[in-house]
Amino acid sequence: MAKKKSSDYKASNIQVLEGLEAVRKRPAMYIGDTAQRGLHHLINEVVDNSIDEALVGHCDQIQLTINKDGSLTVTDNGRGIPVDEHPKLKLPAVEVVLTKLHAGGKFDKSSYKVSGGLHGVGVSCVNALSSEFEAEIHRDGEIYVMGFEFGKTTTPLKKTGKTDKTGTTIRFKPDPKIFTQTTEFKFDIIADRMRELAFLNPEITIELIDEREDEDNGGRQETFHYSGGVRDFVIYLDESRDPMMDEPIYIEGEVDKVPVELSMQYNKSFTENVFSYVNNINTREGGTHISGFRRALTRSLKSYAEKNKIIKPNSKLSLSGEDFRQGLTAVLNVKVPEPQFEGQTKTKLGNSEVQSAVEVVVYEKMNEYLEQNPKIAKQVLEKVVLAAEAREAARKARQLIQRKSAMGGGGLPGKLADCSINDPEHCEIYLVEGDSAGGSAKMGRNRSFQAILPLRGKILNVEKAKINKILENNEIQAMITALGTGVGHGDEEDFELDKLRYHKIIVMTDADVDGSHIRTLLLTFFYRYMKPLIERGHIYIATPPLYRITASRGQIEYAWDDETRDKIIKELRKSNKKFDVSRYKGLGEMNPEQLWETTMDPETRTLQQVTVENAAAADKMFSTLMGGDVEPRRAFIEKNAKYATLDI
Ligand code: 0RA
């Protein structure tokens, strides 16, 4: 890059604007996508700066408001963005932070900043992608404001009054020309992330207020503050599970400038729920910190078991790492000065020094805990043994599935109506509730690329069953063989995504209570045992219509909600036509043509893709919906009745 003379004022200005133009030209490169996820990522970019202030002890209050006009305001009580002149660029520092790419973070290398993580592109990207952007800064007794449109300054920095506080307020309105799918902020998506941040940073209080007043949004408000930090996080995650301990284990330590914090508890369920965070970023793909944790856990429990002769040295049982994590809920929170993120989604920690840091801290404290709590230690190890036995039984069940499929015609389940082409990328499978709907779907489908698997009766609730029982279930076996991937929930298991036979797996159930129950059971199964299918966007929900309106001369209209139905009726009345409205009670009531037209024809159908925005929130949802306790489930459904969507 050519060096600039200090007189090149304008030139450097233009360069700054070009920087943001690049963001507007290729927004997905900076924020991942321009759909719902990218839209909400804007909020994270702003809040991350406030969190950075909190990490260095200068901020403990963050307030988010979704405004009536759809814009969003974030206020913090940090130091306020500096306003003094940037020595090189000769611009107010705040202007540099808000208009210069990658200048979002601090000038000083603050130790564990969030920025530099998953996207960490800085608040200037938010500015670039907003039709309105305002900053108000309280600093050194003065109030400053600055305004922008599409990243370009419209109100240069000016003083507007006096203050005795410090902090930053940023209000932005996403540009609908960039966010063409939606500019509507979702309270629940924001709330899930803010709750997570509040658990990870116990000193902070985050307030979220929705001031919109339309039918679907508005009137909600929630405050997140958890003085117990990750301990509270574990208790929250396990609300619908039966814990085996009075309170979660809490471990804290620091090795080589890497602070490690862990809370964990065993519960009576059979699923593993370990969430890990690096500088407040959910490391979904794991990494060195997770390896360190796993090694420490396995080593400490194994050596305790041997020392106390809980597992006989000559026992035939071979224990595998995953056996030690069945029914474990844990939150691992580490801070890494210069994190290296790798993997498909850049959420896998690569720093090798972190493995031993976590391992050392956890191993030592785990040993102490086990020595001090022999009764719990014994119960946990008994559970580990049961897990190993279930795993062995599951291995046999898997073999059985394989043998069964080897005997059947072509190895596929008998009730599967397969498609004729075999290029997975273009193949779809409909998982259909009940035989009669299955029949209509078989007749209505395009058999070249659409396969139908009718599922009979109730699917097993995998939240409450052991892996071997799950694999013995007929419906689940049929699904596994049809899909071709095998099952697994950890990395030691044999789930093979590249064997997937259909790239679209479409769950098609009735639009009633039973249907939604079956859909939830299926999604729970996929989430717990075939998670990559969800993560890679292979799972969809079909949306059959609720009403059919038949008018004279063979005119047929469909409505997916009451509002559309009423609109159609109004139109028909206006034109004096006779008509008949019927409500579909189940898929089975639709004839094959109707089913094709409304729900299966790729040209006209709408599919909802199932995605997981927030892993902790998804776990919470599934454990609450499918878990053992009735009370939390009822409370959850009542609270979320209006908002709960399965595709969170
Ligand atoms: C640059 C430097 C400093 C703070 C910030 C930016 C900052 C940015 C944002 C965005 C939202 N809230 C924020 N709070 C702070 C360091 C400040 C100093 O050294 O005094």
Side-chain angles (χ1 to χ4, degrees), residues 25-38:
K25 275 204 189 101
R26 309 183 70 185
M29 245 186 68
Y30 297 87
I31 55 164
D33 65 48
T34 54
Q36 181 161 281
R37 186 180 292 195

Side-chain angles (χ1 to χ4, degrees), residues 67 93 113 125 131 156 201 229 284 316 325 386 388 510 520 528 546 550 595 612:
N67 300 305
K113 53 182 185 179
C125 281
S131 56
N201 304 280
R284 256 193 236 196
K316 275 210 192 108
R325 302 190 299 271
L386 287 177
D510 287 342
T520 313
R528 296 289 182 212
L546 282 179
T550 327
L595 194 58
V612 175

Side-chain angles (χ1 to χ4, degrees), residues 380-592:
V380 167
L381 282 158
E382 279 163 7
K383 190 175 171 68
V384 171
V385 170
L386 287 177
E389 286 165 0
R391 183 170 48 80
E392 181 54 23
R395 196 179 59 80
K396 287 189 181 136
R398 272 199 192 92
Q399 281 176 345
L400 204 71
I401 297 177
Q402 271 169 7
R403 216 172 307 139
K404 256 195 205 168
S405 37
M407 285 188 310
L412 292 166
K415 42 189 190 158
L416 171 75
D418 208 2
C419 51
S420 55
I421 63 168
N422 46 25
D423 172 11
E425 210 183 308
H426 298 107
C427 290
E428 310 177 344
I429 184 170
Y430 276 81
L431 306 175
V432 189
E433 163 192 5
D435 281 337
S436 80
S440 293
K442 277 180 193 176
M443 292 205 291
R445 69 177 170 148
N446 179 330
R447 61 176 60 238
S448 84
F449 67 96
Q450 292 180 318
I452 310 292
L453 182 66
L455 299 170
R456 205 175 296 122
K458 287 268 185 258
I459 317 294
L460 197 70
N461 179 354
V462 302
E463 203 67 33
K464 290 200 219 161
K466 284 192 205 177
I467 175 78
N468 52 327
K469 286 280 167 258
I470 293 164
L471 293 181
E472 281 164 20
N473 179 275
N474 276 329
E475 308 306 302
I476 287 180
Q477 282 187 7
M479 269 194 299
I480 297 170
T481 18
L483 296 180
T485 56
V487 269
H489 49 80
D491 28 27
E492 291 130 282
E493 302 252 353
D494 21 11
F495 178 85
E496 294 172 290
L497 189 63
D498 54 350
K499 295 229 173 110
L500 182 63
R501 300 180 62 245
Y502 316 90
H503 279 200
K504 282 202 174 75
I505 300 156
I506 303 161
V507 177
M508 186 159 75
T509 59
D510 287 342
D512 60 8
V513 182
D514 274 353
S516 88
H517 186 64
I518 291 167
R519 184 176 61 206
T520 313
L521 285 165
L522 283 169
L523 292 181
T524 311
F525 171 69
F526 290 132
Y527 185 71
R528 296 289 182 212
Y529 291 98
M530 295 186 168
K531 200 181 268 167
L533 292 184
I534 296 186
E535 288 171 343
R536 299 299 180 82
H538 290 302
I539 310 277
Y540 297 83
I541 294 170
T543 51
L546 282 179
Y547 301 101
R548 184 183 54 176
I549 301 109
T550 327
S552 45
R553 283 205 223 109
Q555 181 189 351
I556 297 178
E557 308 257 9
Y558 300 98
W560 274 257
D561 52 53
D562 293 7
E563 205 189 338
T564 327
R565 176 201 58 190
D566 295 344
K567 222 164 86 192
I568 295 169
I569 292 177
K570 216 167 132 194
E571 287 298 314
L572 289 169
R573 284 222 174 95
K574 248 197 240 156
S575 50
N576 268 328
K577 282 191 181 162
K578 273 199 185 140
F579 61 87
D580 178 57
V581 181
S582 61
R583 191 191 159 103
Y584 285 117
K585 287 196 202 69
L587 293 164
E589 280 180 21
M590 263 188 249
N591 67 37

